[in-house]
Amino acid sequence: MTAQALPPVVDTATWEQRLAELRAREKAATRELDAIAAERRRLPMVEMPDYTLEGEDGPVRLADVFDGKRQLIVYNHMWFTGKEWQCPGCTGFTAQFTRLDFLDDYDARFVIVTQGPIEEALAYKHRVGNRMTWYSTANSPFGTDVDAPPDGGFAVNVFLRDPDTDTVYRTWHTNGRGTEHLTHTFPLIDLLPYGRQESWQDSPTNWPQSPTYSRWPTAKTIAHLYGPNPTDAP
């Protein structure tokens, strides 16, 4: 960053005009997101087999992961065999969700499913201070069938359960940057004058920029901040 890494200074009227122009675009984007959500509610769905996953208390049917709810959001957490610290992006993303009781009023639940063996997954959950409920699909094709295969990337999937038959349907899926609007971190950072400060972003000359991911906390840092062993400093 240099001394020139400053927005231009203008009078109040000019600033308000530029802000109004930007706000018009922001509001248009909000309306477009509303329209996309409306289309999401009209998507067809596909019936799922009767999978069995592994939970903290043993085997559990996919239909029972809903815990009596009709709707289920699943974050498929990346998992790499033998690694002490798993994906920092997945670890950081899921660390944000500490209060999910509000979903009860929407007849919904949000859980983590990973390819890691359940004992290792629960140990990792404890090590990094994760507050979500974890399940393992290590002994099931579920992860592969919902686009989160072993040693593959992360994903978000949404399911609907028919309470009369316990049949489960897949209604939505995303990965990559499709998860950004589900987090509070990037929307907050994007409000800042310097933004995410990543090299791929369109920023003015002299703005501070770093390699992509370089400002993200590592899994070990997250464990230090939220886990049970604060002496494990990065």
Side-chain angles (χ1 to χ4, degrees), residues 77-88 90 114-116 120 149-154:
H77 196 296
M78 294 170 66
W79 190 271
F80 297 101
T81 303
K83 296 291 185 180
E84 179 183 8
W85 302 107
Q86 297 296 329
C87 169
C90 291
T114 188
Q115 291 283 0
E120 295 180 23
D151 297 325
F154 70 92

Side-chain angles (χ1 to χ4, degrees), residues 102-114:
F102 70 92
L103 288 174
D104 291 343
D105 292 331
Y106 294 88
D107 200 13
R109 195 180 187 212
F110 183 19
V111 304
I112 291 174
V113 172
T114 188

Side-chain angles (χ1 to χ4, degrees), residues 1 32 41 44 54 72 84 90 99 115 140 168 222 228:
M1 183 176 3
E32 175 62 12
R41 292 190 291 273
E54 297 287 333
L72 177 69
E84 179 183 8
C90 291
R99 298 181 179 179
Q115 291 283 0
S140 164
V168 175
I222 293 165

Side-chain angles (χ1 to χ4, degrees), residues 65-84:
V65 174
F66 286 72
D67 196 26
K69 309 294 192 299
R70 293 197 63 181
Q71 302 171 104
L72 177 69
I73 304 169
V74 169
Y75 185 86
N76 295 96
H77 196 296
M78 294 170 66
W79 190 271
F80 297 101
T81 303
K83 296 291 185 180
E84 179 183 8

